[in-house]
Amino acid sequence: MRRSGGRKRRLHFSKIYSFSCGRASLKEEHSQIGGPGFSRVVFCNEPDSFEAGIRNYADNYVSTTKYTVATFLPKSLFEQFRRVANFYFLVTGILAFTPLAPYSAVSAIIPLIIVIGATMTKEGIEDWRRKQQDIEVNNRKVKVHKGSGEFDYTEWKNLRVGDIVRVEKDEFFPTDLLLLSSSYEDAICYVETMNLDGETNLKLKQALDVTSSLQEDTSISDFHAMVKCEDPNANLYSFVGTMDFEEQQYPLSPQQLLLRDSKLRNTDYIYGVVIFTGVDTKVIQNSTPPPSKRSRVEKKMDKIIYLLFGVLFTLSSVGSIFFGIKTKDDLNNGIMKRWYLKPDDSTVFYDPKKAPIAALYHFLTALMLYSYLIPISLYVSIEIVKVLQSVFINQDIHMYYEETDKPAHARTSNLNEELGQVDTILSDKTGTLTCNSMEFIKCSVAGTAYGRGFTEVERSMGRRNGSPVHEALIGKDDTAPIKGFNFKDERIMFGNWVNEPHGDLIQKFFRLLAVCHTAIPEVDEVTGKVMYEAESPDEAAFVIAAREVGFEFYKRTQTSISVRELDRASGQQVDRLYTLLNVLEFNSTRKRMSVIVRNEEGKVLLLCKGADNVMFERLAKNGREFEEETKEHLNGYADAGLRTLILAYRELQEDEYTEFNAKLIKAKNSISADREALIDEVTDNVEKDLILLGATAVEDKLQNGVPDCIDKLAQAGIKIWVLTGDKMETAINIGFACSLLRQGMTQIMINLESPEIKVLEKEGDKDAITKASRARVLHHIDKGKAQLTASSGGSEAFALIIDGKSLAYALEDDIKSLFLELAMGCASVICCRSSPKQKALVTRLVKSGTGKTTLAIGDGANDVGMLQEADIGIGISGVEGMQAVMSSDIAIAQFRYLERLLLVHGHWCYRRISSMICYFFYKNITFGLAVFLYEASTTFSGQPVYNDWFLSLYNVFFSSLPVVAMGVFDQDVSAGFCLKFPLLYQEGVQNVLFSWRRIIGWMLNGLISAVIIFFFCMKALQPCAFNPDGKTAGKDILGAIMYTCTVWVVNLQMALAISYFTLIQHLFIWGSITLWYLFMLAYGAMSPTLSTNAYKVFVETLAPTPSFWLITLLVPISALLPYFTYSSLRMRFFPLYHKMIQWIRYEGQSNDPEFCDMVRQRSLRPTTVGFTARLAARTTNKLRR
């Protein structure tokens, strides 16, 4: 089978790019092949061979689920019974089948089965959804060699080590592949690695020369080779191996490795051999198994359960000791003190002769009887509430992204309340904060600023200032948007630049943008429109800008660049050819890029663009005419969050160029260790005496609303870290763009860019490099801490910026605590060039080191480890890939939705769950202690005051539905006020609503209510006859009245605690009370064998008696009075922040700007970030001046 279509662009890119720099050689690191850690052997095109079979490599199936069919039942049961309350009810359920039980076994075991079954069902459904996503990925198709040059589609999961696959343009790589050849003659291909490192710029890979001829399907049939390489590991940026082919050995490097989940771009097809599969691939090696996450509230709830267990065991022990003593004295000289227990006829339970054993049996009975102190329905009620809360999150129209038709999606409901307690956000950059696109928006040419567009930062600051001018200007533009171009200025556009005073320099400026790059043009055969594939998005933005202004780059050959530009003299479009002599590439050390071209007049021109800190020092004395104006414009661009580059040029004399080219060729052909240094030295000597043209300003296009969102989160007291795989300059620029950094903020930079370390790297002494690097990182950390200490108490803000190499040392065991201490003292933290593993380790350090809730947010496979390590993982369902979403707890479409997710839903969920749990303990203590007080009054005889089904149905029908409604619907303040007063979020971060003080307070409230209910009812029924017939109240009447009062008290307490009533809450509260009366009627009408002592107790005894109705009126009022008094005094003298907001809303002051600002300013801190802090800092600086 022959491939279809002709070969794509016969360009030898190795002549344009310095590929020889990246090619491997058989050097020291390859001598490790075959040793420990380098033992993998791959038989190319022979996956079925005996040698391949005995190695038993992993298959290519990848799973992100928590359970399998075999492990679901045992693992899920373990998840349920590790909750101590569930385990306790399992034990009491078993004991209920013995004669010790004070109630029937059925009433004890059925609630437990319902609770466990409901929770396991929810877990199973959530994991099944993950399974469906895994199936979709594993069943993707790719062409694989079946033999004799025939390729056929197969699922990813079926691939084996040694298979040869053909990947087409825009397809993802199914495994880690060794590149054999491509549609290009010199076997290069473009790869997009956004899912791995978050970068959208295309990477260039190149196969070995010896395999580059494998251009046809038929040529694969006879290809056989053996690859020996490193074992599976998590390092994305290294690969060491050799290929034995045709009795020759060739070295392999990362240049030939194509990683799973990266995408083939701008290349028709490639052939590759499968090296690592499934769990052995580098992207999966960088991930961790999906953890079983539990919220802090839930963990604390377990501690409360332990406390209640302590109370339960104490009460049971005290009661049993007292019971044993009383039982021993029951028979005294033949006189029975407790004759109703028939101690003379008892075998064990009440036998005075066996008092110690009777006390032990009573202890077991008491454990079951007082079990109502522990709320069995708490867990299942919380599960129900969390699922319903997740439904509201999923259906929130304010978090729906219409452009991609993606709503928010809570993939697990276990962590809803954690959303209201986030202390630190760790965010990816590309695709998370940004849209993966750059826009040319402003420029400075010959000392004049051009461009009337506004950045997201400027728009946000304008709105904050109340200035409508920015939005008004933008609203007048009706032109269709152009990707990568947001430049608006009538002085430049439509050829008007020719009328400008420095038109010649403007021409040179945009001509430089059209020529100085490594982009590849693609002409649409239908429309004729030129599109560009570039190594970086900002480079694409430059050539697009040049095209829109009138300098259209439309063709590239191996030795020339063709540009269609506007001729100043004639005013016509003319085609100009620039002979490409050299490309001096950009790197992080040089911070500049140059091309040397010969124009049609025969002049040799050096065109250069680079960072301002390296370009200004390279200007000639006569080339600095506009330096001051340009610097002033640069400062303004930086303040607007724009990425800037300086453009300059010079003309080279022919002999000067000839000498330079000879030196460059000599340096490139050098095989010494300092080859790169020699090249840099040669290029450094020619890139000087430049003439300044101006500066570009490109917006690394933020997602809509990112600065606003970050500002709100910062006002809420949330710390924000950015962990990115991008280089330091890019990360710093985006930090300014989204207001994490600002002018005047002290930057603490930690990197290993020092002359001493560079010398050691040339010498190759790894131990010396490690020692020096470690010492440098420690020095930076100590220096940074000293700066923090010196400014303590002041208003100075600090930002910590660290690169990946330094981070590796900062995360070592003996340094990481110092690093964390420094980082927590800074307003912003940006980690650059971070690997996925480092992102996860930083997240773990923050989570364990601070003990606070961490949230990680990202969009690519490189963020999976970070998302799983954090307390909460948020996946951005962006344009590319679903790896982050599949491993996340909650998925959203845009970063800006994080504001509403945390400040609104997070606050509500935290408050609802906290209040719900406190109320649960309150109502169960009220109920359980009343049972204990009755038993104490009957000398701990082991008899419950309530009927069996009264006991069982209390938590199911008569008190649980109102609390579920509160957990789903209650709001202390509206969504608008949550966003208007971000400091309200700190109630969750500081755990104000679920502190031990608040929990114990609710428990004391329950104790007070139980005491009032029991003693008031007892005293009210003791003095006289209960009804007109002269009968006194028995246990059945006392129990029914106490139960009625309890139902009224706990439901009215709920009504007092609720801040936001809905129809459903009214229905549940008053419905629960009504249901109790209906139940008494229905249950009492049953035969005495079923209703026992509740037979017609309401109809014949309670309803006709006025004292019953009087007691049920006065007792609830008395029981609720202490809570009402405390709440009123607290509201008057010590209000919580949400109570203050409720009060200003009630007083009608919510729209008073002055009053709202006075309340809101409590949320501002000297070290906060965001444009609010930027404005505050600017105002402070003006006042100081």
Side-chain angles (χ1 to χ4, degrees):
M1 183 177 74
R2 294 179 62 85
R3 62 183 176 87
S4 59
R7 184 172 301 156
K8 192 170 183 177
R9 289 187 301 272
R10 300 174 178 272
L11 265 179
H12 289 277
F13 283 80
S14 52
K15 295 183 180 180
I16 299 176
Y17 304 93
S18 301
F19 270 102
S20 55
C21 303
R23 292 177 178 163
S25 60
L26 286 169
K27 51 187 178 183
E28 181 184 351
E29 61 182 4
H30 287 82
S31 66
Q32 304 172 79
I33 299 296
F38 297 86
S39 61
R40 195 174 188 86
V41 179
V42 178
F43 298 91
C44 304
N45 219 5
E46 300 177 71
D48 297 317
S49 66
F50 173 77
E51 292 85 353
I54 61 175
R55 298 182 183 276
N56 198 28
Y57 292 135
D59 60 28
N60 201 39
Y61 186 87
V62 173
S63 174
T64 61
T65 58
K66 195 192 296 186
Y67 306 108
T68 64
V69 174
T71 63
F72 175 72
L73 194 60
K75 193 173 180 181
S76 184
L77 284 172
F78 169 76
E79 290 282 338
Q80 299 311 311
F81 287 115
R82 74 175 182 172
R83 291 171 168 171
V84 64
N86 286 348
F87 182 74
Y88 166 72
F89 285 114
L90 176 65
V91 174
T92 57
I94 294 170
L95 288 175
F97 288 93
T98 69
L100 295 169
Y103 40 68
S104 63
V106 175
S107 66
I109 204 71
I110 286 180
L112 180 65
I113 293 173
I114 294 172
V115 168
I116 299 300
T119 310
M120 288 177 65
T121 301
K122 182 188 77 73
E123 286 283 320
I125 291 171
E126 287 182 349
D127 211 52
W128 174 249
R129 290 172 182 162
R130 295 190 192 102
K131 177 73 173 178
Q132 293 300 105
Q133 291 175 327
D134 288 344
I135 290 172
E136 188 274 325
V137 170
N138 288 308
N139 287 345
R140 287 178 182 172
K141 299 289 185 71
V142 68
K143 285 184 177 179
V144 65
H145 185 229
K146 298 294 187 180
S148 304
E150 295 291 328
F151 280 76
D152 198 6
Y153 282 104
T154 189
E155 284 108 356
W156 282 19
K157 64 184 178 183
N158 297 328
L159 292 178
R160 297 164 297 170
V161 173
D163 274 332
I164 293 182
V165 298
R166 173 181 167 128
V167 180
E168 309 281 348
K169 182 180 179 180
D170 292 331
E171 290 182 349
F172 289 100
F173 298 122
T175 66
D176 288 353
L177 301 174
L178 183 70
L179 178 62
L180 297 177
S181 62
S182 76
S183 54
Y184 292 108
E185 279 187 353
D186 46 1
I188 65 104
C189 69
Y190 282 96
V191 175
E192 185 182 86
T193 60
M194 195 188 73
N195 266 349
L196 305 179
D197 56 18
E199 294 188 8
T200 54
N201 55 300
L202 304 182
K203 311 293 191 303
L204 281 160
K205 301 284 186 175
Q206 186 175 33
L208 297 175
D209 289 339
V210 292
T211 61
S212 61
S213 61
L214 301 173
Q215 295 283 340
E216 308 287 344
D217 288 354
T218 53
S219 64
I220 299 296
S221 60
D222 298 326
F223 173 73
H224 297 283
M226 183 171 67
V227 173
K228 299 177 182 177
C229 65
E230 63 188 20
D231 292 337
N233 61 75
N235 195 329
L236 292 174
Y237 307 109
S238 74
F239 179 71
V240 178
T242 59
M243 175 186 282
D244 294 340
F245 179 58
E246 295 179 346
E247 300 183 356
Q248 293 289 325
Q249 191 175 73
Y250 302 93
L252 301 173
S253 72
Q255 194 69 33
Q256 287 85 47
L257 191 66
L258 306 174
L259 300 181
R260 178 186 172 113
D261 283 334
S262 50
K263 181 186 275 191
L264 182 66
R265 297 295 299 271
N266 201 37
T267 310
D268 285 342
Y269 63 86
I270 63 98
Y271 293 104
V273 60
V274 175
I275 300 296
F276 299 117
T277 50
V279 295
D280 291 341
T281 57
K282 288 183 180 288
V283 66
I284 303 299
Q285 290 277 312
N286 270 281
S287 66
T288 54
S292 297
K293 295 182 180 180
R294 299 182 72 211
S295 70
R296 279 171 167 73
V297 168
E298 189 174 336
K299 291 174 184 176
K300 191 168 187 176
M301 189 168 68
D302 282 349
K303 294 178 182 177
I304 302 170
I305 297 289
Y306 290 134
L307 173 65
L308 288 180
F309 272 125
V311 173
L312 188 152
F313 276 88
T314 302
L315 294 178
S316 299
S317 300
V318 170
S320 298
I321 292 170
F322 187 83
F323 175 77
I325 295 170
K326 281 287 186 182
T327 301
K328 188 176 181 181
D329 296 338
D330 257 355
L331 276 176
N332 191 4
N333 298 324
I335 300 173
M336 294 180 289
K337 293 183 178 179
R338 296 187 297 178
W339 53 268
Y340 50 87
L341 297 179
K342 299 180 182 179
D344 57 334
D345 191 34
S346 177
T347 52
V348 175
F349 295 118
Y350 305 108
D351 190 350
K353 297 175 183 178
K354 299 177 180 178
I357 298 176
L360 179 61
Y361 283 150
H362 179 274
F363 177 75
L364 296 175
T365 300
L367 287 182
M368 290 184 276
L369 187 59
Y370 304 155
S371 64
Y372 295 96
L373 286 170
I374 314 296
I376 186 173
S377 60
L378 172 60
Y379 285 111
V380 71
S381 297
I382 287 178
E383 296 289 351
I384 292 169
V385 164
K386 287 185 176 181
V387 169
L388 293 174
Q389 287 176 347
S390 297
V391 170
F392 284 128
I393 290 173
N394 296 343
Q395 295 184 348
D396 189 341
I397 193 67
H398 298 289
M399 295 195 294
Y400 169 70
Y401 191 46
E402 188 174 4
E403 192 172 310
T404 56
D405 189 30
K406 287 180 179 176
H409 176 46
R411 301 182 70 249
T412 177
S413 58
N414 292 343
L415 305 170
N416 293 353
E417 66 273 27
E418 289 278 86
L419 293 170
Q421 295 184 281
V422 174
D423 179 75
T424 305
I425 294 173
L426 301 106
S427 174
D428 177 41
K429 182 192 77 68
T430 306
T432 303
L433 297 176
T434 66
C435 299
N436 295 332
S437 65
M438 303 283 186
E439 287 190 347
F440 186 92
I441 192 167
K442 296 175 187 288
C443 64
S444 170
V445 187
T448 303
Y450 296 99
R452 306 192 191 280
F454 295 96
T455 66
E456 183 69 25
V457 173
E458 288 175 309
R459 287 194 285 269
S460 297
M461 292 179 71
R463 286 194 295 272
R464 184 68 175 171
N465 283 327
S467 169
V469 63
H470 290 178
E471 303 295 342
L473 284 174
I474 292 171
K476 292 178 182 178
D477 185 27
D478 297 325
T479 58
I482 299 169
K483 185 179 179 182
F485 188 73
N486 190 25
F487 181 84
K488 301 175 180 66
D489 198 318
E490 69 285 352
R491 295 172 296 174
I492 294 291
M493 300 302 294
F494 313 114
N496 293 336
W497 59 267
V498 298
N499 302 319
E500 286 294 291
H502 298 286
D504 57 331
L505 294 182
I506 295 175
Q507 182 184 42
K508 291 176 180 177
F509 181 92
F510 285 101
R511 182 181 287 164
L512 188 152
L513 290 181
V515 174
C516 183
H517 55 77
T518 56
I520 303 295
E522 283 190 330
V523 181
D524 190 306
E525 294 179 1
V526 178
T527 64
K529 192 173 180 64
V530 181
M531 306 301 291
Y532 303 105
E533 288 285 356
E535 275 199 89
S536 63
D538 48 354
E539 188 152 275
F542 291 145
V543 289
I544 289 170
R547 181 191 70 194
E548 294 303 315
V549 171
F551 295 79
E552 184 179 49
F553 159 58
Y554 66 93
K555 183 180 179 182
R556 177 193 286 276
T557 69
Q558 296 175 20
T559 57
S560 67
I561 289 176
S562 299
V563 177
R564 188 174 293 114
E565 60 182 64
L566 182 66
D567 182 65
R568 289 187 70 203
S570 65
Q572 301 295 317
Q573 290 281 339
V574 296
D575 291 345
R576 296 195 187 278
L577 183 73
Y578 297 90
T579 304
L580 184 61
L581 303 177
N582 302 93
V583 176
L584 312 181
E585 292 181 336
F586 178 93
N587 62 45
S588 57
T589 304
R590 283 167 39 80
K591 297 182 180 178
R592 63 190 183 277
M593 180 240 177
S594 301
V595 297
I596 300 176
V597 296
R598 191 188 304 275
N599 64 14
E600 292 176 341
E601 289 78 37
K603 294 181 179 179
V604 178
L605 302 173
L606 182 144
L607 309 178
C608 185
K609 61 185 180 186
D612 54 358
N613 58 339
V614 297
M615 292 293 288
F616 281 126
E617 64 187 26
R618 298 182 176 279
L619 297 179
K621 288 183 179 179
N622 63 343
R624 298 176 178 269
E625 182 180 353
F626 311 107
E627 182 178 5
E628 292 305 316
E629 296 93 332
T630 305
K631 284 183 176 180
E632 185 178 338
H633 296 155
L634 283 177
N635 290 335
Y637 297 155
D639 203 38
L642 296 172
R643 300 164 59 119
T644 57
L645 285 180
I646 297 297
L647 272 57
Y649 80 102
R650 65 173 292 209
E651 184 177 338
L652 299 178
Q653 298 301 316
E654 196 65 42
D655 56 346
E656 184 182 6
Y657 170 73
T658 303
E659 182 183 354
F660 157 76
N661 196 43
K663 290 181 180 178
L664 182 64
I665 293 171
K666 182 179 178 181
K668 285 190 173 183
N669 291 335
S670 171
I671 56 173
S672 62
D674 58 351
R675 176 178 177 275
E676 292 298 321
L678 292 173
I679 294 174
D680 286 346
E681 184 181 345
V682 174
T683 57
D684 194 64
N685 287 332
V686 76
E687 291 171 320
K688 61 182 182 180
D689 297 331
L690 303 175
I691 297 172
L692 177 65
L693 290 173
T696 61
V698 175
E699 184 179 13
D700 189 352
K701 188 65 176 176
L702 291 174
Q703 291 182 11
N704 289 336
V706 166
D708 279 319
C709 177
I710 287 178
D711 186 60
K712 274 289 197 310
L713 296 175
Q715 287 185 58
I718 301 173
K719 303 177 188 70
I720 302 171
W721 294 31
V722 174
L723 311 178
T724 176
D726 277 355
K727 59 182 184 290
M728 187 172 284
E729 295 85 356
T730 306
I732 291 173
N733 279 321
I734 202 65
F736 278 105
C738 61
S739 296
L740 283 172
L741 303 177
R742 64 173 184 267
Q743 298 296 318
M745 180 181 276
T746 303
Q747 295 182 11
I748 300 173
M749 311 278 287
I750 302 180
N751 57 47
L752 300 179
E753 298 293 326
S754 72
E756 297 81 5
I757 292 177
K758 286 183 179 179
V759 170
L760 292 173
E761 286 175 345
K762 290 177 183 177
E763 295 173 355
D765 188 342
K766 292 184 178 179
D767 291 336
I769 293 170
T770 301
K771 185 177 179 181
S773 300
R774 197 169 181 278
R776 181 174 172 83
V777 170
L778 263 175
H779 170 71
H780 278 303
I781 291 174
D782 291 338
K783 184 179 176 183
K785 287 177 65 179
Q787 287 178 275
L788 288 179
T789 304
S791 70
S792 59
S795 60
E796 187 176 4
F798 291 86
L800 175 62
I801 302 164
I802 183 170
D803 66 8
K805 289 182 180 179
S806 305
L807 193 58
Y809 296 102
L811 292 173
E812 289 181 355
D813 289 341
D814 54 342
I815 302 179
K816 63 183 182 183
S817 58
L818 299 173
F819 169 67
L820 181 63
E821 186 181 343
L822 171 63
M824 296 311 293
C826 294
S828 302
V829 180
I830 299 177
C831 301
C832 321
R833 284 295 182 196
S834 307
S835 69
K837 206 78 170 181
Q838 284 179 325
K839 290 184 177 184
L841 290 174
V842 169
T843 305
R844 182 185 301 171
L845 174 63
V846 177
K847 181 173 73 171
S848 59
T850 63
K852 303 286 184 66
T853 302
T854 56
L855 180 148
I857 180 169
D859 72 315
N862 59 316
D863 303 314
V864 168
M866 175 175 74
L867 299 186
Q868 293 182 341
E869 189 64 51
D871 293 300
I872 309 167
I874 306 291
I876 298 286
S877 49
V879 180
E880 300 289 348
M882 291 293 288
Q883 285 288 327
V885 169
M886 289 169 63
S887 301
S888 67
D889 302 305
I890 299 173
I892 55 178
Q894 295 273 286
F895 182 88
R896 69 176 185 269
Y897 298 150
L898 198 60
E899 175 186 344
R900 187 172 180 88
L901 183 66
L902 297 188
L903 302 189
V904 178
H905 290 285
H907 172 72
W908 282 349
C909 289
Y910 164 73
R911 183 185 182 277
R912 290 164 177 170
I913 295 292
S914 300
S915 301
M916 181 180 172
I917 294 170
C918 287
Y919 176 80
F920 249 107
F921 289 124
Y922 157 79
K923 75 182 184 65
N924 276 69
I925 287 174
T926 300
F927 187 74
L929 284 181
V931 173
F932 169 77
L933 291 171
Y934 173 79
E935 212 215 353
S937 71
T938 60
T939 63
F940 298 98
S941 59
Q943 299 302 309
V945 67
Y946 303 130
N947 178 279
D948 284 4
W949 286 103
F950 288 7
L951 290 169
S952 295
L953 299 181
Y954 173 75
N955 280 317
V956 178
F957 289 122
F958 307 132
S959 63
S960 286
L961 290 180
V963 75
V964 169
M966 180 183 74
V968 176
F969 298 108
D970 194 32
Q971 299 176 13
D972 53 350
V973 298
S974 66
F977 279 97
C978 286
L979 299 173
K980 193 172 186 178
F981 300 96
L983 184 65
L984 183 62
Y985 188 79
Q986 278 294 305
E987 288 189 343
V989 178
Q990 297 171 15
N991 206 16
V992 172
L993 303 180
F994 202 58
S995 62
W996 280 110
R997 179 178 178 181
R998 185 176 174 86
I999 293 163
I1000 298 299
W1002 273 98
M1003 289 181 174
L1004 288 175
N1005 189 23
L1007 172 63
I1008 292 168
S1009 296
V1011 169
I1012 290 174
I1013 290 170
F1014 174 74
F1015 284 105
F1016 277 33
C1017 288
M1018 282 285 286
K1019 296 300 180 184
L1021 296 174
Q1022 273 180 355
C1024 58
F1026 176 70
N1027 59 18
D1029 296 336
K1031 293 180 180 179
T1032 58
K1035 189 181 78 165
D1036 53 346
I1037 295 174
L1038 174 64
I1041 293 176
M1042 283 178 58
Y1043 200 97
T1044 303
C1045 290
T1046 302
V1047 170
W1048 271 100
V1049 168
V1050 297
N1051 281 286
L1052 290 177
Q1053 174 66 72
M1054 168 60 68
L1056 287 176
I1058 285 176
S1059 300
Y1060 179 73
F1061 271 98
T1062 64
L1063 179 62
I1064 293 176
Q1065 285 162 315
H1066 277 294
L1067 181 65
F1068 282 178
I1069 290 172
W1070 311 119
S1072 295
I1073 297 171
T1074 304
L1075 187 63
W1076 161 240
Y1077 287 103
L1078 294 174
F1079 175 77
M1080 278 199 294
L1081 285 171
Y1083 186 53
M1086 294 179 182
S1087 66
T1089 55
L1090 294 175
S1091 58
T1092 62
N1093 64 350
Y1095 180 67
K1096 293 190 176 180
V1097 69
F1098 181 69
V1099 174
E1100 294 185 354
T1101 310
L1102 299 182
T1105 309
S1107 57
F1108 165 72
W1109 301 105
L1110 186 62
I1111 290 170
T1112 54
L1113 173 65
L1114 296 178
V1115 170
I1117 293 174
S1118 303
L1120 294 172
L1121 192 59
Y1123 173 82
F1124 185 79
T1125 304
Y1126 170 79
S1127 297
S1128 301
L1129 291 173
R1130 179 74 187 267
M1131 181 67 180
R1132 178 66 182 85
F1133 297 107
F1134 309 104
L1136 290 173
Y1137 197 65
H1138 72 272
K1139 291 290 185 183
M1140 292 172 57
I1141 297 172
Q1142 288 175 350
W1143 187 257
I1144 67 168
R1145 182 187 62 188
Y1146 176 76
E1147 291 288 316
Q1149 294 174 312
S1150 58
N1151 294 319
D1152 184 342
E1154 186 176 346
F1155 192 84
C1156 288
D1157 284 340
M1158 183 180 69
V1159 176
R1160 191 185 295 113
Q1161 68 186 357
R1162 289 179 54 185
S1163 66
L1164 297 178
R1165 291 180 171 83
T1167 57
T1168 193
V1169 296
F1171 60 75
T1172 301
R1174 178 180 287 186
L1175 289 172
R1178 187 178 294 170
T1179 304
T1180 303
N1181 290 335
K1182 286 180 179 178
L1183 291 174
R1184 285 176 181 170
R1185 291 171 187 168

